[in-house]
Amino acid sequence: MAATTESLLRISQKVFAESHSLDLKNQVFGTCNGMKQRRKVRVGVQAVAGADSKGVKKSHDVNLMAGFDAVAERELREKGFMGLRRTKLVCTIGPACCSLEDLERLALGGMNVARLNMCHNTRGWHRDVIRKIKWLNLDKGFCVSVMIDTESSQIHVVDHGAPFSLKAEEGSVWVFTAQKFEGSRPFTVRANYEGFSEGIMVGDELVIDGGMATFVVVERMGNDLRCKCIDPGLLLPRAKLSFWRDGKLSYQGLPTLSDKDWDDIDFGVSEGVDFIAMSFVNDADSVKHLKNYLSTKSSKEIRVLAKIETLESLRKLEEIIEASDGIMVARGDLGVEVPLEQIPTVQEEVTRTCRQLNKPVIIASQLVESMVEYPTPTRAEVADVSEAVRQYADAVMLSGESAIGSHGQKALSVLRMASSRMESWSRVENQQVAFHQSELGVPLPDHIAEEICNSAVEMANNIGVDAIFVYTKHGEMARLLSRNRPKPPIFAFTDEKNVQMALNLQWGVIPILIDLSDDMEANISRSIGLVKTKGMVKDGNSVLMVSDLPPTCATSTVFQSIQVKNID
């Protein structure tokens, strides 16, 4: 697949124009008047025998609906309803996995969200990756969301002239400066922020990337610092710097969002990303400020995730979670400020609080870090991934393992297999506990929706249905169902593309784009017809159904009820 960027853009524009001309009602039956079906899928999907779309052979393998993830289809056919993976997978995209072929392999391997770290590479590079992912979604039937991660106003090492790390030996003396210079100088590191040394005293410790190497300040030379290495290690390009005094941070950093971050956010809006992850969030106000800004800049709703990586964010955890659309537990930077032995309990507490407040949570940083270099993980790393799954985190994330590692696809397969195995064990051994949820809704309609979802999950678990179908305009009821971590998978039918991409981060939810109407019975018939046509359900399967679609007079009783239907 040696397509150039220019040809990819031409193809994606054509696919985009074609996809927007589709009649979604006709898509359910595999028809599209006047358009040749050019999108083949990797799994067998037979068109309905009665299809009369011009130019389509009745027995031809086609992707009937771009809004149904081809990987979920394949997984369902191979493993059945209970074999579907519930934990979502996030991959950081970097130089090691940015080609079209690599991105397609990651999508086939189960990547649900592609993360782009704005600390690295140019906006042109990021734009190219985003458009490749969108092209794959349109042309190959994937459903991969895009997340950008802001850099934040942190002090870090300016990228070196060569793409390799520097080794700091014990006892060696280095100069840290903000002065600009060409090339490289021996034992000299340039910081990105001119005022990086303000308030720093002789005797303070300078920690690189949370402990990759440690120096002690031995002399101030104007705005520069002479530092002696007391704990040898590596200085990676763009490594973060933090200063400590008497066991506490002596430098509290800059505002959460820098000028560069705001430019990156505008870039993300223009490229139609689905999530923005805010680095080094210390309070709810910064999250609210960004969400208000996005509401004025974007016609689609872009979800804001707050990264928990400071002591201050832990002190204000609940208010930050309530203000945001989701949380990322960035254990690497968090481990700089929190004692190592407390990280496991902090992770579990953040995960539990997110579930109680109905917000998705991603466990990130160093899940299978050894696979940056080696083709197999350590057994301890597999246990770490399994523990995050056991805690019912919505997603687990690869960082350097996929971005710069030599074995990114193997690392993704480890996450996928470890997640599926732990989920299966929980069900087989009846370890999947019933959650007693705190009350979220204050208005009566919200409280009713909560109670319906709580009851629906309890009923689904007790009577052993094969799947839960939810019909949702904004995704809220799908999230409420996911919050209860039901045993059967949740199929969320929506006619909003941005809702589909947002639900892609929600535990146990398979989001499906479909035309919805005010007639609830028609929606049920259409969705069952779709999944039956795709061979995803069989006669005798039972499905529990709920909806948060605005009711009409004719369908109000359907809206306020829980239905269980046998497929025939």
Side-chain angles (χ1 to χ4, degrees):
M1 195 181 297
T4 65
T5 300
E6 184 178 351
S7 64
L8 279 176
L9 291 178
R10 285 200 303 270
I11 294 170
S12 68
Q13 287 167 357
K14 181 178 179 182
V15 173
F16 183 81
E18 290 178 345
S19 69
H20 278 259
S21 70
L22 298 181
D23 178 350
L24 287 175
K25 291 183 180 177
N26 285 339
Q27 278 190 351
V28 172
F29 301 100
T31 66
C32 180
N33 294 333
M35 188 186 86
K36 292 183 179 180
Q37 291 283 0
R38 59 184 293 276
R39 293 177 224 146
K40 296 181 181 179
V41 292
R42 309 259 175 200
V43 295
V45 182
Q46 296 295 322
V48 171
D52 61 354
S53 179
K54 184 177 179 181
V56 179
K57 295 181 180 180
K58 293 181 181 180
S59 63
H60 192 58
D61 283 354
V62 294
N63 184 358
L64 298 177
M65 189 168 222
F68 207 125
D69 182 25
V71 177
E73 286 186 42
R74 182 192 64 190
E75 196 171 64
L76 181 55
R77 287 196 183 88
E78 292 175 353
K79 301 179 180 179
F81 286 107
M82 289 303 170
L84 286 172
R85 172 176 45 84
R86 311 300 201 267
T87 307
K88 301 303 179 75
L89 306 178
V90 183
C91 297
T92 302
I93 308 303
C97 62
C98 63
S99 72
L100 191 65
E101 295 87 349
D102 286 331
L103 292 169
E104 183 173 357
R105 281 192 283 266
L106 289 174
L108 286 168
M111 174 175 66
N112 301 108
V113 179
R115 169 184 175 255
L116 298 171
N117 189 344
M118 302 307 290
C119 290
H120 307 287
N121 299 305
T122 65
R123 290 200 186 103
W125 183 91
H126 289 294
R127 180 181 293 108
D128 183 57
V129 170
I130 291 170
R131 294 186 180 183
K132 285 175 181 174
I133 293 167
K134 292 191 173 187
W135 183 84
L136 287 169
N137 285 346
L138 287 169
D139 200 65
K140 301 294 183 180
F142 297 128
C143 182
V144 177
S145 303
V146 176
M147 173 195 300
I148 63 169
D149 196 322
T150 64
E151 182 175 341
S152 186
S153 301
Q154 297 297 307
I155 304 173
H156 59 76
V157 174
V158 174
D159 282 337
H160 302 302
F164 50 76
S165 59
L166 298 176
K167 181 67 180 294
E169 302 286 355
E170 185 172 4
S172 59
V173 177
W174 296 66
V175 173
F176 288 80
T177 179
Q179 296 179 31
K180 296 181 180 180
F181 53 84
E182 297 295 328
S184 60
R185 296 179 183 175
F187 299 102
T188 304
V189 175
R190 182 182 155 208
N192 68 312
Y193 172 54
E194 290 186 2
F196 82 101
S197 63
E198 292 177 6
I200 303 305
M201 299 169 56
V202 172
D204 287 351
E205 289 187 353
L206 191 167
V207 178
I208 308 294
D209 264 352
M212 289 289 286
T214 304
F215 297 80
V216 63
V217 179
V218 295
E219 183 183 358
R220 287 186 59 96
M221 303 181 300
N223 294 325
D224 298 345
L225 302 175
R226 287 184 73 245
C227 303
K228 181 179 179 181
C229 181
I230 58 174
D231 192 2
L234 297 177
L235 281 75
L236 298 172
R238 310 289 285 183
K240 294 185 178 69
L241 312 181
S242 58
F243 292 93
W244 291 74
R245 184 180 302 152
D246 299 326
K248 297 180 181 179
L249 280 172
S250 58
Y251 183 82
Q252 297 303 318
L254 300 165
T256 302
L257 293 171
S258 66
D259 290 341
K260 177 183 179 298
D261 290 330
W262 287 111
D263 289 340
D264 288 339
I265 288 164
D266 287 339
F267 164 80
V269 171
S270 69
E271 292 300 316
V273 301
D274 304 293
F275 301 98
I276 294 176
M278 289 183 69
S279 297
F280 294 96
V281 174
N282 288 322
D283 54 54
D285 289 341
S286 57
V287 178
K288 293 175 183 176
H289 180 46
L290 176 55
K291 292 186 72 173
N292 289 336
Y293 179 81
L294 291 173
S295 68
T296 66
K297 290 289 184 177
S298 176
S299 58
K300 64 174 276 188
E301 184 177 0
I302 299 175
R303 271 67 181 185
V304 175
L305 306 181
K307 294 174 67 176
I308 302 300
E309 48 195 337
T310 66
L311 274 175
E312 190 62 25
S313 65
L314 291 177
R315 294 189 185 103
K316 300 177 181 178
L317 179 64
E318 192 163 319
E319 67 178 60
I320 290 173
I321 295 175
E322 287 179 335
S324 68
D325 298 307
I327 292 295
M328 183 190 295
V329 185
R331 302 181 305 178
D333 287 300
L334 187 61
V336 177
E337 300 192 29
V338 175
L340 294 177
E341 67 275 11
Q342 293 182 20
I343 295 296
T345 53
V346 167
Q347 173 181 309
E348 186 160 15
E349 176 63 19
V350 175
T351 302
R352 185 193 65 80
T353 306
C354 285
R355 192 175 60 248
Q356 288 291 335
L357 296 176
N358 200 26
K359 302 294 175 71
V361 58
I362 304 168
I363 303 302
S365 306
Q366 302 170 335
L367 283 165
V368 284
E369 183 78 7
S370 66
M371 294 190 74
V372 172
E373 296 184 52
Y374 302 105
T376 56
T378 68
R379 280 37 178 180
E381 288 171 335
V382 175
D384 180 38
V385 174
S386 300
E387 177 61 14
V389 175
R390 187 196 66 79
Q391 293 173 2
Y392 294 106
D394 291 86
V396 289
M397 189 181 96
L398 295 176
S399 298
E401 303 97 328
S402 56
I404 60 173
S406 302
H407 312 284
Q409 286 156 41
K410 287 185 178 180
L412 179 61
S413 71
V414 169
L415 294 196
R416 186 182 70 247
M417 290 186 293
S419 300
S420 297
R421 183 67 187 92
M422 176 55 69
E423 291 165 359
S424 175
W425 177 83
S426 295
R427 288 189 295 272
V428 171
E429 299 297 324
N430 202 27
Q431 296 294 315
Q432 193 152 343
V433 298
F435 294 110
H436 301 286
Q437 302 291 12
S438 58
E439 192 173 301
L440 287 170
V442 177
L444 182 60
D446 291 347
H447 187 55
I448 291 172
E450 278 182 55
E451 290 300 324
I452 287 175
C453 288
N454 294 345
S455 300
V457 168
E458 184 176 1
M459 181 184 294
N461 291 342
N462 289 342
I463 66 178
V465 299
D466 296 292
I468 298 174
F469 283 11
V470 56
Y471 304 88
T472 180
K473 192 73 174 175
H474 304 292
E476 186 57 28
M477 193 163 272
R479 285 187 283 270
L480 287 168
L481 290 166
S482 172
R483 177 193 187 214
N484 286 276
R485 302 305 194 246
K487 292 179 181 178
I490 303 162
F491 290 78
F493 297 92
T494 182
D495 56 4
E496 297 287 343
K497 181 65 177 178
N498 67 318
V499 172
Q500 181 199 25
M501 302 311 281
L503 291 176
N504 213 20
L505 194 56
Q506 209 79 36
W507 186 97
V509 175
I510 300 164
I512 303 166
L513 194 67
I514 189 172
D515 188 29
L516 296 175
S517 70
D518 292 336
D519 186 344
M520 198 56 222
E521 290 301 331
N523 292 331
I524 292 172
S525 176
R526 187 175 295 122
S527 60
I528 291 176
L530 169 65
V531 294
K532 284 193 72 174
T533 297
K534 287 176 169 287
M536 300 177 71
V537 296
K538 301 178 179 64
D539 291 348
N541 287 144
S542 58
V543 177
L544 184 146
M545 300 171 178
V546 295
S547 171
D548 65 7
L549 298 178
T552 63
C553 293
T555 61
S556 58
T557 55
V558 174
F559 173 75
Q560 296 292 352
S561 68
I562 300 170
Q563 294 191 39
V564 177
K565 188 176 181 68
N566 284 316
I567 307 297
D568 51 28

